[in-house]
Amino acid sequence: MNYTLHQLHIFVKISQTQSITRAAQELHLTQPAISIQLKNFQDQFDIPLTEVISRRLYLTDFGWEIAQVAKMIINEAQALNHKTLAYKGLLYGKLKISVVSTGKYVMPYFLSGFMAQHEGIELIMDVTNRQKVVDNLTSNEVDFSLVSILPHQFNLNYLELMPNKLYLVGNERNKTGQKTNDPGLLKKLPLIYRESGSGTRSMMEKFIADNQLVVQKRLELTSNEAVKQAVMAGLGYSIMPLIGLKNELLNNDLTIIPLTGLPLKTPWMLIWHKEKQLSPIAQAYLTYIQENKSTIIQQHFAWYNRF
């Protein structure tokens, strides 16, 4: 037999997802690439590893046994790498972080330098909605989470990274004709909301409630990127985090509409359970952030104070 670790990794992912499409998505490969590797792997066995029933892919009993062995081989191969790095006195293992969706504009810059220093560390970063971030904390699946609003149901430690500022934005071509900065302007504008449970939405709704406004809700969308594209297309206005609007503001695709009380401000925070025993990797990362936070902000977010 002449199988490769790459083929083993693909077959294990297929066993976990029961789908070539989903395996391709999770491995960031094309479906044809997955199918070819599966065929090449199957060609090394006389007994079928998979079968298709009603257009769905299933592993045979033999396939499940091979998948279990494949996991063991992959784990042993990783152990070899870890032992080599440990012998050289380097950190190795996984750093797991859960990030609210807008945090994807923040977190990579607070990770890149640390990852460059420690080649033996594997980063697992889940960019998801706020509820999933809370669920990850509940089930102790991550070392840290990045949020802009603290979940109050936990006893947490936190480290503030940088401000999160939210402004009212609109399409540059759709002028509001405003003569004052009165928040009452929102009553006249079609507004675009994030989905329920979003931290951005909760801050927007609080601002509207604090100003005792009755507003028009035109759209509800499930990602910051979708809201941004809708605003750019002229479908409405929204209160959005500045962090994801750099290029659109500099290119005049979007404009900030000044209102009294804006921007709304909360800090981006790295959070973790007070009772969690941090791994050597997690502790090293926390130390790195504490020592380099100011430099990272200066290098990558100097533009932030222009607005």
Side-chain angles (χ1 to χ4, degrees):
M1 290 187 180
N2 192 30
Y3 52 77
T4 66
L5 286 173
H6 182 55
Q7 289 172 344
L8 292 178
H9 189 54
I10 287 174
F11 188 65
V12 168
K13 183 59 67 175
I14 290 172
S15 75
Q16 293 169 340
T17 61
Q18 296 284 288
S19 165
I20 288 177
T21 300
R22 288 177 56 196
Q25 291 171 345
E26 294 189 17
L27 292 173
H28 305 291
L29 296 171
T30 64
Q31 289 180 240
I34 294 288
S35 297
I36 289 170
Q37 291 301 323
L38 176 60
K39 180 182 183 303
N40 291 341
F41 189 57
Q42 173 64 78
D43 287 346
Q44 299 178 70
F45 300 93
D46 296 330
I47 304 171
L49 300 171
T50 62
E51 56 188 352
V52 177
I53 301 175
S54 298
R55 302 180 66 181
R56 287 193 59 186
L57 181 75
Y58 296 89
L59 265 65
T60 63
D61 289 343
F62 178 67
W64 281 115
E65 292 190 24
I66 295 300
Q68 295 305 311
V69 174
K71 287 181 187 178
M72 294 171 56
I73 294 173
I74 291 170
N75 289 338
E76 290 299 320
Q78 291 175 341
L80 286 174
N81 292 333
H82 293 167
K83 288 181 184 299
T84 302
L85 292 167
Y87 190 78
K88 292 158 59 175
L90 302 177
L91 285 172
Y92 67 89
K94 296 179 179 179
L95 178 64
K96 303 176 189 175
I97 299 178
S98 183
V99 179
V100 293
S101 58
T102 311
K104 66 177 176 285
Y105 302 108
V106 176
M107 200 68 230
Y109 297 100
F110 286 89
L111 284 163
S112 57
F114 180 74
M115 296 300 294
Q117 292 176 9
H118 302 286
E119 63 181 41
I121 294 178
E122 177 186 352
L123 173 65
I124 300 175
M125 188 170 76
D126 183 22
V127 180
T128 184
N129 58 47
R130 189 171 184 272
Q131 184 56 53
K132 180 71 183 305
V133 168
V134 171
D135 292 344
N136 287 338
L137 282 171
T138 302
S139 56
N140 195 31
E141 293 180 9
V142 294
D143 298 303
F144 301 105
S145 293
L146 181 73
V147 297
S148 60
I149 301 175
L150 279 176
H152 295 294
Q153 60 266 53
F154 300 108
N155 194 16
L156 297 170
N157 287 318
Y158 66 90
L159 174 65
E160 292 187 7
L161 299 185
M162 59 181 288
N164 179 32
K165 300 188 287 188
L166 288 83
Y167 289 90
L168 176 66
V169 294
N171 185 313
E172 173 67 18
R173 296 180 298 277
N174 288 354
K175 304 297 185 182
T176 63
Q178 70 181 107
K179 296 181 180 180
T180 71
N181 295 344
D182 185 351
L185 173 69
L186 293 178
K187 295 189 292 186
K188 305 175 184 178
L189 301 179
L191 296 180
I192 302 173
Y193 281 63
R194 283 287 305 273
E195 77 283 4
S196 296
S198 160
T200 297
R201 174 168 175 157
S202 67
M203 293 178 68
M204 180 174 170
E205 288 181 330
K206 184 177 185 304
F207 179 75
I208 291 169
D210 288 347
N211 285 277
Q212 300 180 331
L213 303 174
V214 178
V215 299
Q216 310 173 50
K217 178 180 172 184
R218 171 167 285 186
L219 285 174
E220 179 177 311
L221 300 171
T222 58
S223 75
N224 193 67
E225 197 64 31
V227 172
K228 180 168 65 177
Q229 294 299 324
V231 174
M232 288 171 61
L235 289 175
Y237 302 78
S238 191
I239 295 177
M240 300 185 67
L242 174 64
I243 195 67
L245 305 177
K246 177 183 177 182
N247 292 333
E248 290 75 19
L249 291 171
L250 294 179
N251 293 333
N252 294 321
D253 294 320
L254 292 176
T255 187
I256 290 174
I257 301 166
L259 287 186
T260 301
L262 297 182
L264 304 175
K265 293 184 179 180
T266 60
W268 285 109
M269 294 169 284
L270 200 66
I271 63 175
W272 64 100
H273 267 292
K274 280 190 175 180
E275 298 175 358
K276 186 171 182 61
Q277 298 296 314
L278 295 180
S279 68
I281 291 174
Q283 186 59 62
Y285 178 63
L286 189 59
T287 300
Y288 169 83
I289 291 297
Q290 291 168 333
E291 293 177 350
N292 294 277
K293 179 177 72 169
S294 297
T295 301
I296 293 168
I297 292 172
Q298 183 178 359
Q299 288 179 345
H300 299 290
F301 299 101
W303 66 271
Y304 206 61
N305 292 325
R306 293 174 55 185
F307 298 95

